[in-house]
Amino acid sequence: MNVRTKGLVCGAVAAATYGMNPLFTLPLYHAGMTPDSVLFYRYAFALPILAVMIRLRGQDFSLRRCEMLPLVAMGLLFSASSLFLYMSYNYMDAGIASTILFVYPILVALIMALGFRERITPLTIFCIALAVLGIGLLYEGDGQTLSLTGVTLVLLSSLSYAVYIVGVNRSSLRGLPTEKLTFYSLLFGSLVYVVRLRGGADLQAVPSPLMWINAVSLALFPTIVSLVTMAGAIRRIGSTPTAILG
């Protein structure tokens, strides 16, 4: 495959696996776990897997000074996106929440156009229109009024994710190996849950072997696979096309 085709494949895989969040999260909620505990395990399980991937690729864990602050920012942005989305599941149907989340391609396109003077081509406009149409078709509704709190949380999640996507492409992190970028983003992002869980004092135990499967799957699919392939797609085809593939 050429570079563009690889980017398109990576972008599609990133979007599909990121959409698996409710699949593994809702069983943990039904078992009585809170968003903070679920997200702590998601990040904690992902970090050692990524560390092994980094070593297998012959990379080290060193960072340049100019990369530290952007990595902290990316970690906090992705962590905020995860937390807002998972909190929204407590206020509205997870399918509707995950559908509304996919307004982030529009936000990415707007940020790139307004902040970086990226020209919005007719093809991009057409793709954004398809994205909006897709959201409309996926949301059937059941006659209930949507929770304002839930919608606000999802939109904050979408905005955080959009800024993360742009930041990966428009900062000193552009040349950082994908696995290392993902590792440090998750490492710094996990500190949010350490603080919110009072250093682990409020951390809930995973209640059963089946729930452990869900927790590990959260770390693997919507986290490692999604973030690694998304970073690869951004570097090959850019932020806006990667987001629209969602």
Side-chain angles (χ1 to χ4, degrees):
M1 291 186 290
N2 59 34
V3 173
R4 179 170 176 78
T5 302
K6 287 181 180 178
L8 293 172
V9 171
C10 285
V13 172
T17 50
Y18 194 70
M20 291 181 179
N21 269 298
L23 179 64
F24 305 115
T25 302
L26 294 184
L28 295 170
Y29 279 10
H30 294 157
M33 297 186 68
T34 63
D36 290 298
S37 291
V38 171
L39 284 165
F40 177 85
Y41 285 114
R42 175 186 175 185
Y43 283 48
F45 292 153
L47 286 170
I49 300 174
L50 282 166
V52 171
M53 292 172 63
I54 291 172
R55 296 308 299 169
L56 288 176
R57 288 183 175 271
Q59 302 168 4
D60 57 36
F61 292 89
S62 62
L63 293 173
R64 295 178 297 167
R65 184 175 300 179
C66 65
E67 294 169 340
M68 290 293 295
L69 189 58
L71 278 171
V72 171
M74 292 303 101
L76 293 178
L77 280 169
F78 186 75
S79 186
S81 178
S82 301
L83 183 60
F84 288 138
L85 178 63
Y86 281 38
M87 289 172 64
S88 75
Y89 292 162
N90 290 322
Y91 293 92
M92 61 195 303
D93 180 81
I96 297 174
S98 298
T99 300
I100 295 175
L101 174 70
F102 280 86
V103 301
Y104 76 81
I106 301 169
L107 298 178
V108 169
L110 290 175
I111 292 171
M112 294 299 294
L114 298 177
F116 298 96
R117 299 289 192 272
E118 181 177 276
R119 188 172 68 91
I120 299 181
T121 65
L123 179 59
T124 300
I125 295 173
F126 175 69
C127 290
I128 290 174
L130 284 181
V132 174
L133 178 62
I135 293 171
L137 291 174
L138 285 171
Y139 173 56
E140 297 177 0
D142 55 5
Q144 297 181 355
T145 302
L146 292 179
S147 164
L148 178 60
T149 301
V151 172
T152 301
L153 288 169
V154 177
L155 292 177
L156 288 173
S157 173
S158 184
L159 178 60
S160 301
Y161 194 51
V163 177
Y164 174 88
I165 291 175
V166 173
V168 169
N169 189 41
R170 292 287 178 166
S171 69
S172 58
L173 304 178
R174 186 178 178 89
L176 197 66
T178 302
E179 293 81 6
K180 187 185 290 189
L181 166 67
T182 306
F183 175 84
Y184 280 107
S185 294
L186 293 181
L187 179 63
F188 292 127
S190 67
L191 298 179
V192 172
Y193 310 111
V194 173
V195 172
R196 288 177 59 87
L197 292 167
R198 297 190 301 157
D202 294 336
L203 180 64
Q204 298 170 294
V206 180
S208 69
L210 180 59
M211 294 302 104
W212 277 100
I213 294 175
N214 282 283
V216 173
S217 296
L218 264 181
L220 183 60
F221 296 107
T223 310
I224 294 176
V225 175
S226 181
L227 286 179
V228 169
T229 52
M230 186 188 69
I234 289 172
R235 285 170 179 162
R236 290 177 174 90
I237 61 176
S239 300
T240 302
T242 298
I244 289 176
L245 272 171

